[in-house]
Amino acid sequence: MNFSDILGFALRGIGANKLRSILTMLGILIGVAAVILLVAVGNGSARSVASRIESLGTDTLTVLSTSRAGAGLTMRVADALDDRTVAPAVRSVSPVVSTSATLTYEGAEHEIGSFVGTTPSWFAASNSPVAAGAAFTADDEAQARRVVVIGQTVAAELFPGVDPVGRQVTAGGALFTVVGVLREKSSAGSQDADDTAIAPIGAVRQVLAGYGPLSSILVEAGDPSAVGTAQSQITTILDRRLDADAYRVQSASQLLEARTETAGTFTTLLGAVAAISLLVGGIGITNIMLVTVTERTREIGIRKALGAPRRAILSQFLIEATLLSVIGGGLGVAVAVAVIGSRFPIVGVQPVIVPGSVVLALGVCVLIGLFFGGLPAARAARLRPIDALRYE
Amino acid sequence: MGRPVLDVRELTKVYGEGDTEIRALDGVSLAVERGEYVAVMGSSGSGKSTLMNILGCLDVPTTGTYLLDGVDVGSLSDAQLALARNRLIGFVFQAFNLIPRTSAVANVELPLAYSGMRAAERRRRAMFSLDLVGLADRAEHEPSRLSGGQQQRVAVARALVTEPALLLADEPTGNLDSHATEDLLAVFDELNAAGRTIVLITHENEVGARADRLITLFDGRVAGDIRQEPSGRHAAAGV
C-alpha cells in the first residue's frame, strides 16, 4: 500500500460530499485567517506605537509628577534642572503645562485635546519642527505674548483652504495669533498627534491653565548615548528639591519598552481569541469525520474484507482529515494575505503580517487534522470487519 | 491430493450468554481440497452465514481450529489476518459491496493496492480479471451505472484478481434475476474448470446443484455431505 493510493482514496472521500467538505474547510479557513489577521493587526499597532514614540526623539527624558495633589513640579524646579554645572549632560529643559481648550475662528470651533504651554526649546526636544510660519521665540515666551503654533489637524479644522499664519483665534476668551503650523506627525491609532496647539507657557498659564504645578518637564540630553547620564544628573537635582516618590523620570526608550510590552500582550490576546475560532474549526473536522466514518462504515468493512490492514484505514481517514484542515488553512492564509495586501486599515491600524504566524497557523492546521481526525480515524480502523459489513 | 485448502475442526460459534445463548455453529468439521467446487446449503438460521464469515477470516470462532492453506488462522495477529484476507481469500458478497463512486477497474484494483503492487501492473491484472468475467468494456463505469448482474461480475473479478487459494461466495445470486444468475454461475463453472477452489453459500437448489459437492447445514451441524454429478453446466463443455 503506497502513500499515493491512500492519498487518492482520501481525495475521493473529500470529493464525495463536496458541500460538507467545503463547509468544514470554511471553519478552518476562518480560524486561520483570523489568527493571521488579528496577529497582523496587533503587530501593526505595536509598530505604529513604536514609530510614534521614536518620533518623540530618543534622547529625551520626561519628568512627571506622581503625587496628584502635591505641588510637585514647579517652574523653579525646571529652572534648577537647567544648570550646566550640575547637569552638563542636559541640553535643554522645557517646562510643560498641558490643558484642553476650545479654539474658535470666525464661528468655527475646535476642541483641542492638548493645548500645550512651554518654552521654545520644546520644539527641538520633542522633535516637532514647524512646517509653515515659525515657532514662537524666547522673547515671546518672556513677554508671555499670546501667540500659538497649531498642529495640522487644528489647521485643517479651523482654516480650511486658508493660510492660518497671521490669523487670530480665540482660546479661553483671549485672542491668540497663529504664528506657525507644525509639520505633520506620523500618527496612527486612536490618539491624533496633530490635534495640538503650542503657546508660550506664560500665556497659557495666564489664560487657561492657571499657576498650578507643571504637567511635566521635558529634558533633552545632548545625544542619545547621554540619556543615562542626564537621567542620573537630574535625579540628583530633583531629589534635593522633591520627595523621591513625588516624581518619576521616564525616558523615551523606557516608554517604548513599556508600550511594546503592552502591544505584545495585546497581540497575544488577539491571537488567543483567534486561536479559539481555529479550535472550533478543528472540532468541526472531528464532527464531520465522525459522520463520514459512520456513513462509510460499510465501505470500511469492504476494504477490510479485501485485506486492508488497520494502518491503511487509519491513514486514509487521517489524511482525509488533514487534507480538509490543510486545504482550509491554505485558503485561510490566502484570504488573510489578500486582505492585508489590499492595505485596508482595520480599526485604524494598518496590519503588518508576521511571517511566523503564517507558518504557525499552517503547522497548527496539520496538527489539527492529525489530532481531530485521530479519534474518528482510530474508530474506523478499530471496526471489526464483520460488524462493519453488517452495518446498514 | 495434498494439503487441503480449507480444514476446519470442531468449529463452534456462540452468540450471547446464559438464557439468550445461541449456538450458531455447534461442532462443524470439514475439509475442502484444492480445485473443489463446494456448495453449502441450509435454511435460514442454520449457521451457514456464520460459517462463511469465519471461513473468510471476517469473524473468529468461539472454539475449534481453522487451517487456511495450512495456516492456523486462530494464531494470526490482526495485521496477518488482513494479509490472509488479501492474499488467500477472494470474497463475493450477496450485496455486491463495490465501493461507490469508484470505477469498476479501480474496484478490482483495490485488493492489489492493499498488497502494495505498482499501479501499472495493477491496472494490467485488473483489466485481465475484468476480461475474464466479460466486462472489460465497462472498466470505467461506476457501480451505479452497472446492472446488478454486472456489479456482481465486477465483484467476482475483484475476488479473483489476487489469484487467491479460495473463492468464497456468500449468496452471490441472492440479489440477481434468473438471467444474471445463469451468467454468474457460468463464470463460476469456468473458474472451477480452470482449477479454482470455490465455496459458495446458497439456499437455491439449482445453484447448489451446479457444485461437485453439496454440504447441508442444519442447526449449526453438518447434516449432509455428498459428492454429486453437477447438473446444468453449459460452459463446462466449452472449457
Side-chain angles (χ1 to χ4, degrees), chain B residues 8-27:
Chain B
V8 297
R9 289 168 202 162
E10 286 303 313
L11 221 52
T12 65
K13 179 72 182 180
V14 180
Y15 293 110
E17 279 175 21
D19 292 345
T20 57
E21 184 180 285
I22 296 166
R23 299 183 80 82
L25 290 181
D26 193 8

Side-chain angles (χ1 to χ4, degrees), chain A residues 222-255:
Chain A
D223 64 284
S225 60
V227 171
T229 326
Q231 183 163 3
S232 63
Q233 288 168 353
I234 61 172
T235 304
T236 314
I237 300 169
L238 287 168
D239 278 344
R240 232 178 294 148
R241 296 180 170 264
L242 299 167
D243 290 335
D245 57 355
Y247 70 92
R248 189 155 54 93
V249 180
Q250 202 167 44
S251 70
S253 60
Q254 280 168 340
L255 195 64

Side-chain angles (χ1 to χ4, degrees), chain A residues 15 120 139 173 175 212 257 277 297 347 356:
Chain A
D139 187 45
L175 280 175
E257 221 166 80
S277 72
T297 300
V347 289

Side-chain angles (χ1 to χ4, degrees), chain B residues 44-85:
Chain B
S44 111
S46 61
K48 58 187 195 303
S49 284
T50 305
L51 177 64
M52 199 60 160
N53 289 330
I54 292 171
L55 294 184
C57 300
L58 298 175
D59 206 352
V60 287
T62 310
T63 61
T65 55
Y66 170 24
L67 301 180
L68 174 62
D69 212 18
V71 179
D72 184 2
V73 170
S75 67
L76 296 182
S77 71
D78 195 69
Q80 287 170 316
L81 272 178
L83 201 65
R85 284 195 290 267

Side-chain angles (χ1 to χ4, degrees), chain B residues 176-229:
Chain B
L176 301 181
D177 60 27
S178 57
H179 183 70
T181 297
E182 186 48 50
D183 283 352
L184 186 73
L185 290 177
V187 169
F188 280 158
D189 289 345
E190 279 181 49
L191 292 172
N192 180 240
R196 291 256 164 251
T197 312
I198 300 173
V199 174
L200 71 76
I201 284 186
T202 185
H203 62 266
E204 293 170 68
N205 288 324
E206 64 270 34
V207 176
R210 297 285 278 261
D212 301 323
R213 184 177 165 194
L214 188 64
I215 295 174
T216 320
L217 285 186
F218 182 74
D219 267 355
R221 292 169 187 275
V222 177
D225 187 351
I226 51 164
R227 296 191 181 273
Q228 61 182 12
E229 195 53 44

